[in-house]
Amino acid sequence: MTRLRELGHDLIPLEEVRETILRHVDRLPAEEVPLLEAWDRVLAEDLAVKELIPPFDNSAMDGYAVRAGDLEGASPERPVTLRVRGRIQAGDPPGFQLSEAQLPQIGLPQIGHPQIGAAARIMTGAPIPQDADAVVPHELTRFTDTEVTFTAAAASGQNIRRAGGDMKPGEVPVGKGTRLRGPQLAVAAALGLARIKVSRRPRVAIISPGKELVWPGEPAGPGQIRNSNAYALAGLLREGGAAPEVGRIIEDSTHALRREFRRALEGGVDALLTTGGVSAGDYDFVQQVVREDGSPGYVFKAAMRPGKPQVFGVLGGKPLFGLPGNPASAIISFTVFVLPALRKMLGEEPVVPPVFPVRFTSDFSYRGGRTFLLRAAVEPDFEHPGGGFRVRSIGGQDSSFLSSLAAANALIQLPAGRDGVKAGEILPAWWIHPA
Ligand code: AMP
Ligand code: MG
């Protein structure tokens, strides 16, 4: 059933457009992948700790494992010398004992003659002897192969990393919905997981209608321009966690659009993305196809600048994002609408990326009446007492300009009800990509 929301001339706040879109986007199923392939994927299950990490008490230093009690009162004037009873390397099994009784039970190399008041040479990460309670770094001692001399007392527990000090059973160090980067993969590895459940990467077809478009590397005839949007979107999709499938440049016709949509859907994509053909021009066929084939189909006039015309529909059960063709409008629309939709497909939390505060460093005027999405380069502001981020530079804001977008890293949201911002004002921004 085709259900069309013809929204007439009413401008709709971008938040409402986004909520409408998000209602029609579902989370993709999870899949299990080898840990090394899980980088940049979104975790589909909580990582649960089942054992103590680290699994055993171990040394934080290369030094000597001792009983703190044996070093009581040690000072440069009254040094304490202990026998070195063994050497414990990272990878040796726990169980070494400083005290005599247990010595024969373990197969570690024993040096010198057992006696009361002993130490063991120990390496970082090696298991602490059962009866030691401190480690003294070797650079604070004088030592030979058989003896070690201390000139200061030791505190019980010093330089010992306790079993479970990092993670304990029942804890969730990395939660469902987290994007996995190096440190999160390290947690999974430390927990012993060789495979991990992640959301399927959304496969997104990029289709480029426009008689004027040619690929880079091809000669551009009179009246032709390069298809830059396909590259912008391929990059942004990757950064958003999707797998872009760059499709064809096609003529401006409903026939060509339908053919490419069908081809992509038969190929199993999870979403369709077009740029251009959504305004009210004579060759703007994307909105016509969405009106006729979408179930539902929406043609929005979003109360934002740039990016007023927006088309969204569900085609063959998959979301179709019909972004405006102007390069800046396309990229900004992607950030505002498509990125949250991808995050929802991935189960990434929060679905809408959080805004952050940016301080203006000079006055800025803009056309009001619609939310103005200002592309700007922002930078950390250590000079301001409140910290945060400040505007570094603002390039040309024409919706066809690419250069200022390439120089920008943020999109600052300026209210529709005004037409200017004063130096010192703080407004919310999204990252296009982090500083
Ligand atoms: P349209 O909505 O199709 O009229 O496109 C609006 C503007 O965006 C026109 O100047 C188009 O040439 C331009 N445009 C459309 N698609 C692309 C694209 N893939 N790459 C670069 N510019 C484009
Ligand atoms: Mg066009």
Side-chain angles (χ1 to χ4, degrees):
M1 185 195 69
T2 299
R3 195 154 52 86
L4 176 70
R5 289 292 153 74
E6 180 50 88
L7 294 154
H9 295 291
D10 293 343
L11 286 172
I12 304 171
L14 69 90
E15 293 78 10
E16 209 178 310
V17 174
R18 185 168 55 207
E19 277 160 27
T20 307
I21 290 173
L22 289 175
R23 271 207 303 280
H24 299 289
V25 170
D26 298 317
R27 185 177 183 148
L28 295 179
E31 62 185 9
E32 212 178 66
V33 297
L35 195 50
L36 264 184
E37 285 165 34
W39 176 80
D40 204 36
R41 306 291 297 268
V42 175
L43 189 60
E45 61 185 350
D46 286 343
L47 290 190
V49 183
K50 302 226 167 71
E51 56 196 44
L52 299 173
I53 307 287
F56 47 86
D57 291 354
N58 67 93
S59 179
M61 294 283 206
D62 293 330
Y64 288 88
V66 297
R67 282 171 294 224
D70 288 347
L71 304 190
E72 233 173 69
S75 68
E77 297 72 38
R78 297 184 51 193
V80 171
T81 297
L82 302 178
R83 271 277 173 218
V84 176
R85 298 285 286 282
R87 187 198 313 267
I88 315 169
Q89 191 187 346
D92 286 340
F96 191 93
Q97 297 254 10
L98 299 179
S99 60
E100 203 169 347
Q102 297 293 320
L103 282 179
Q105 292 188 359
I106 53 171
L108 295 170
Q110 303 292 331
I111 304 167
H113 303 289
Q115 63 172 59
I116 303 301
R121 193 164 165 91
I122 191 164
M123 310 305 146
T124 304
I128 297 291
Q130 284 176 353
D131 52 352
D133 65 350
V135 170
V136 179
H138 62 69
E139 55 270 35
L140 300 182
T141 68
R142 290 193 312 273
F143 55 84
T144 64
D145 279 352
T146 55
E147 283 184 347
V148 55
T149 300
F150 304 86
T151 54
S156 180
Q158 74 174 38
N159 298 318
I160 294 179
R161 304 190 287 214
R162 291 295 174 197
D166 188 4
M167 296 178 251
K168 289 190 179 61
E171 292 176 356
V172 177
V174 185
K176 185 175 169 170
T178 307
R179 189 77 80 94
L180 298 168
R181 318 276 190 195
Q184 291 78 31
L185 294 180
V187 168
L191 299 178
L193 302 170
R195 299 175 68 80
I196 195 167
K197 257 197 192 149
V198 295
S199 301
R200 213 177 74 210
R201 247 187 218 296
R203 290 173 51 201
V204 183
I206 301 171
I207 294 151
S208 308
K211 183 185 170 190
E212 74 277 33
L213 303 175
V214 294
W215 294 109
E218 286 177 359
Q224 292 194 301
I225 58 165
R226 267 69 187 224
N227 180 2
S228 58
N229 287 353
Y231 291 83
L233 296 172
L236 291 165
L237 281 166
R238 279 213 177 89
E239 284 160 26
E245 300 188 5
V246 178
R248 303 176 179 196
I249 293 172
I250 54 170
E251 65 185 79
D252 297 290
S253 75
T254 53
H255 167 76
L257 280 170
R258 288 196 166 105
R259 187 191 63 221
E260 292 312 309
F261 289 160
R262 198 178 328 111
R263 190 197 302 276
L265 291 169
E266 282 170 7
V269 299
D270 301 298
L272 302 162
L273 202 52
T274 62
T275 59
V278 294
S279 42
D282 292 349
Y283 300 96
D284 293 334
F285 293 113
V286 175
Q287 56 160 300
Q288 191 185 330
V289 170
V290 171
R291 270 177 212 281
E292 291 174 9
D293 300 2
S295 175
Y298 296 90
V299 176
F300 298 109
K301 287 187 169 63
M304 60 192 254
R305 193 189 323 268
K308 182 172 83 164
Q310 298 287 339
V311 167
F312 175 81
V314 178
L315 258 70
K318 309 292 176 184
L320 159 71
F321 302 88
L323 305 183
N326 269 315
S329 310
I331 292 171
I332 289 170
S333 304
F334 179 94
T335 305
V336 173
F337 300 123
V338 185
L339 184 63
L342 288 180
R343 291 167 69 96
K344 187 164 182 199
M345 288 185 199
L346 288 163
E348 192 170 9
E349 300 283 352
V351 167
V352 179
V355 291
F356 64 96
V358 172
R359 182 177 299 104
F360 276 74
T361 47
S362 54
D363 295 357
F364 180 77
S365 317
Y366 61 98
R367 267 173 78 191
R370 294 187 238 153
T371 297
F372 193 89
L373 296 169
L374 176 73
R375 71 199 89 143
V378 306
E379 62 187 2
D381 189 358
F382 288 105
E383 281 141 44
H384 191 276
F389 286 84
R390 68 181 168 206
V391 174
R392 187 179 65 219
S393 66
I394 297 173
Q397 298 294 311
D398 189 287
S399 61
S400 68
F401 286 0
L402 278 173
S403 51
S404 54
L405 260 168
N409 55 10
L411 218 49
I412 310 178
Q413 193 176 348
L414 309 184
R418 298 173 48 177
D419 59 6
V421 181
K422 293 262 169 266
E425 277 194 78
I426 295 173
L427 284 133
W430 288 292
W431 292 116
I432 298 173
H433 58 80

